[in-house]
Amino acid sequence: MKLLVILLLFHTTFLMINGQISSITNTHHETYIVHVQKPKNTKPLRSTDLLSWYMSFLPTKTLASGEARIVYAYQTAITGFAARLTSAEVKAMEMKEGFIHATKDRMLYLHTTHINDYLGLNQGTCLQKDTNLGKGLIIGMLDTGVLPNHPSFNDSGLPHPPTKWKGHCDFKPSTCNNKLIGTASGIAPNCHLAIYKVCHSRVCGSSDVLAGIDQAMADGVDVISLSFGGGAVPFYNDAVAIGALAAVEKGIIVTSSAGNSGPTKGTIENDSPWLITVGASTMDRMIRARVKLGNGEELPGESAYHPSGFTSGFLPIIYPGRHGGSRAKACSDGSLSRINVKGMVVLCHNSGENHTVEKGIVVQRAGGVAMILINEEDQDMTTRAAAHVLPAAHVSYSDGRRILAYALSKTNPTATIVFDGTLYGISPAPSVASFSSRGPSSVNEGVLKPDIIAPGVNILAAWPSPVGPLSLESPVNSTITSMAFNIVSGTSLSSPVIAGVATLLKTTHPNWSPAAIKSAIMTTADTLDRDGLPISDLYSMGAGHINLAKANDPGLVYDIIKDDYIPYLCGLGYTDKQVSAVARRIIECASIDPINAEELNYPSVTVALGSKAKKTITRLVTNVGESESLYTVQIKKPEGVEVSVYPKKLGFSEMNQTLSFSLYFSSGDVGAMKGDVSEGYLRWVSNKHIVRSPILVTFT
């Protein structure tokens, strides 16, 4: 199976040597991403010059399979290539002049309408008028690709792509249009989409992703959205982080999904400070499927499939997990073959190897007529409105316990499901999805991640095949029918939301850097839900929940220029070659004053303190609000820490003026608090703006 970006063989800036996916390996040879210096040549480099330079690093021995050594010859994101090599061949390559670093290709995995209303983005609002709905900007989507004739990619009313677009579309000419140039309405419906297929099924090779970034940069995209990850690794071994830094240095905003391994702490992915890392939140919408028990109790659930004519009478309940073991408890494939579930409502746990819709298929094939899907404890309140194949209701852990208690205590328990349609104004909202990965990073500690949360639960999304009961009667790759959408969840849905937001902000503020746009998103985020209660802790929500209207006018921003990341990389203790691999140029850390993550001019503040310790952290803020403005500091001190700020007021006399301030931290005897974290915040308040930065203190 070939990649979309692979098909661009003769593109002016992307050079691909072999049409096979780069993750192919055999007994002796594996794919490595190799970073090298630029060749010593004063003339502009042609693609053939680079290829010759890359080939000079390779062994002359051909592969027994006859395959080409080089898989990708990168030209934009990095100076380097992906090639099939043995570990011994890589070791020999390290001795060659110009070699910097090599790392094995690694597998990354996918993080798999009402949003506009929920975020205050209805047609006709001032913000949408100001941003022109993202008109003229290009979002590069790196994912599994798209079905180009889907109605979400209709280009009615859209202009031609801007002249900066250097790419072309590899679908049939009749399926390419002004919307789909290389979704229900998206966040920036007037922007153009460039789709780069870098994943197959649920797996993405990092060399393929790097090729996608390389191509997107060459094509002229404004924003890149990434929806996959493979666990935190050092940045010099993270091809996605390296490619993303190259894009950011070119002024391209890169958003990324936080991962779907929550709620365990330390599971965050895509943790580099130049990425906007996005966690998933719920909305105030519920597609309700209400469970009524025979004892009169009613419990809310969700399902996207609301059948007409389903019986309102009570049916017998059966719990396969009572006697059938763990597989039957989860309604795994084949687990109900010896259990009589005919004509019954079957209780299934949301666990095991099959997903929620597949459990319904297992129940239906065994003769069950309805399913109640019960969350496990770590899944808590997050329920999903899936397009089930039979009447179903997905309920929370606590409600599931009540249903189980009833079913196991009665001789003839009964239940039915009542479908109430779509409801709005549901609380609590927003809340952090249970599956959304949490910080801190297990490898690259020091920067608070995720940065932000955005809707990622029960999102209406374009879908290439039928869903619901229809899906059992139609082939997987059938022609699009009236069921052209699905309700899906994951941080992979949240990242495109922020990509759309960033596109709108870039429209109204074309001169803002990616770091400035990130700062605007973070410092204006909501930290309270619709009922005025705290949404969650910092490791779950980062700065908080996206508030686009406020982000468009943040007052102040914390900016980071591209060279600021180099002292940070040196401060991580990397070797010069490791830093050079990330920076994509030769770096000598001995000539640079290194900084740690605390000193990076980030919109959030993280500090590690031992007993009776003192630290000073300095930040710079740039005025992007009124030319003459006065801000006064407000502090909520983290428990166990004294914090003061100097100066206490910041007075600006012109736009784009930058001022500095310092935070002074001191701790007492840490004692039993060792290993704990404490949260607070810093706010700069004017007569119009509130610029908020979360503070996280770790006691060491």
Side-chain angles (χ1 to χ4, degrees), residues 401-416:
R401 299 299 298 176
R402 293 164 72 177
I403 294 170
L404 282 172
Y406 165 73
L408 296 174
S409 66
K410 301 297 181 181
T411 304
N412 298 302
T414 60
T416 190

Side-chain angles (χ1 to χ4, degrees), residues 11 51 88 90 164 168 188 217 276 331 430 500 546 555 568 574 587 599 644 681:
H11 197 280
L51 180 57
V90 172
K164 67 181 177 181
H168 64 267
M217 291 175 62
I276 304 179
C331 298
I546 179 64
Y568 162 73
Y574 294 169
I587 300 294
E599 300 170 279
S644 61
Y681 60 76

Side-chain angles (χ1 to χ4, degrees), residues 537-556:
D537 63 276
L538 296 182
Y539 281 148
S540 301
M541 71 173 185
H545 189 270
I546 179 64
N547 185 321
L548 176 51
K550 290 182 179 179
N552 193 47
D553 184 18
L556 306 175

Side-chain angles (χ1 to χ4, degrees), residues 358-432:
E358 290 172 339
K359 295 178 190 300
I361 294 173
V362 171
V363 169
Q364 188 180 64
R365 287 176 176 168
V369 297
M371 174 179 70
I372 298 174
L373 187 66
I374 298 171
N375 267 354
E376 298 291 82
E377 185 173 8
D378 62 352
Q379 296 160 345
D380 197 23
M381 296 287 293
T382 302
T383 56
R384 306 192 191 192
H388 291 286
V389 299
L390 81 172
H394 184 176
V395 300
S396 69
Y397 171 73
S398 59
D399 288 343
R401 299 299 298 176
R402 293 164 72 177
I403 294 170
L404 282 172
Y406 165 73
L408 296 174
S409 66
K410 301 297 181 181
T411 304
N412 298 302
T414 60
T416 190
I417 301 174
V418 179
F419 298 95
D420 296 323
T422 302
L423 305 178
Y424 299 93
I426 302 298
S427 293
S431 62
V432 180

Side-chain angles (χ1 to χ4, degrees), residues 11 138-140 161-169 181-182 192-196 215-216 218-221:
H11 197 280
I138 304 167
I139 299 180
T163 55
K164 67 181 177 181
W165 171 246
K166 301 297 190 295
H168 64 267
C169 188
I181 62 171
H192 306 277
L193 295 180
I195 310 297
Y196 301 87
Q215 184 63 55
D219 288 345
V221 304

Side-chain angles (χ1 to χ4, degrees), residues 646-692:
Y646 183 82
K648 297 184 182 303
K649 295 182 184 292
L650 296 175
F652 295 89
S653 58
E654 60 184 1
M655 287 285 290
N656 299 315
Q657 181 183 359
T658 297
L659 296 176
S660 67
F661 66 91
S662 296
L663 296 96
Y664 302 90
F665 293 86
S666 62
S667 63
D669 186 1
V670 170
M673 296 179 69
K674 185 176 182 180
D676 291 347
V677 296
S678 186
E679 300 182 3
Y681 60 76
L682 160 79
R683 301 199 307 186
W684 287 107
V685 181
S686 72
N687 60 1
K688 183 179 178 181
H689 299 100
I690 297 176
V691 186
R692 185 184 188 278

Side-chain angles (χ1 to χ4, degrees), residues 166-394:
K166 301 297 190 295
H168 64 267
C169 188
D170 286 276
F171 295 117
K172 293 179 181 178
S174 61
T175 61
C176 296
N177 59 28
N178 292 330
K179 180 66 176 178
L180 186 63
I181 62 171
T183 218
S185 173
I187 299 297
N190 280 357
C191 74
H192 306 277
L193 295 180
I195 310 297
Y196 301 87
K197 181 169 178 149
V198 298
C199 304
H200 297 274
S201 184
R202 294 186 56 82
V203 181
C204 327
S206 60
S207 61
D208 305 325
V209 173
L210 184 58
I213 296 174
D214 191 82
Q215 184 63 55
M217 291 175 62
D219 288 345
V221 304
D222 299 287
V223 179
I224 292 175
S225 176
L226 308 174
S227 291
F228 36 72
V233 295
F235 297 139
Y236 54 82
N237 284 335
D238 189 339
V240 176
I242 294 171
L245 180 56
V248 166
E249 289 183 355
K250 196 177 178 181
I252 300 170
I253 302 155
V254 186
T255 69
S256 59
S257 48
N260 295 342
S261 300
T264 305
K265 287 200 168 22
T267 53
I268 195 77
E269 303 179 21
N270 298 317
D271 57 351
S272 62
W274 45 87
L275 288 171
I276 304 179
T277 308
V278 191
S281 64
T282 65
M283 294 185 288
D284 66 344
R285 179 184 66 194
M286 187 177 200
I287 309 175
R288 192 159 74 182
R290 185 164 30 102
V291 176
K292 294 180 68 174
L293 301 177
N295 63 0
E297 193 170 7
E298 297 188 8
L299 302 161
E302 290 200 76
S303 174
Y305 174 45
H306 283 208
S308 58
F310 180 66
T311 178
S312 59
F314 286 86
L315 299 168
I317 294 177
I318 185 169
Y319 177 48
R322 187 169 193 170
H323 303 296
S326 60
R327 297 192 76 253
K329 167 185 171 181
C331 298
S332 299
D333 191 27
S335 65
L336 305 183
S337 59
R338 297 184 180 181
I339 302 174
N340 180 18
V341 301
K342 291 182 180 179
M344 299 182 186
V345 178
V346 183
L347 305 182
C348 302
H349 284 262
N350 190 22
S351 60
E353 70 270 17
N354 56 350
H355 63 67
T356 59
V357 173
E358 290 172 339
K359 295 178 190 300
I361 294 173
V362 171
V363 169
Q364 188 180 64
R365 287 176 176 168
V369 297
M371 174 179 70
I372 298 174
L373 187 66
I374 298 171
N375 267 354
E376 298 291 82
E377 185 173 8
D378 62 352
Q379 296 160 345
D380 197 23
M381 296 287 293
T382 302
T383 56
R384 306 192 191 192
H388 291 286
V389 299
L390 81 172
H394 184 176

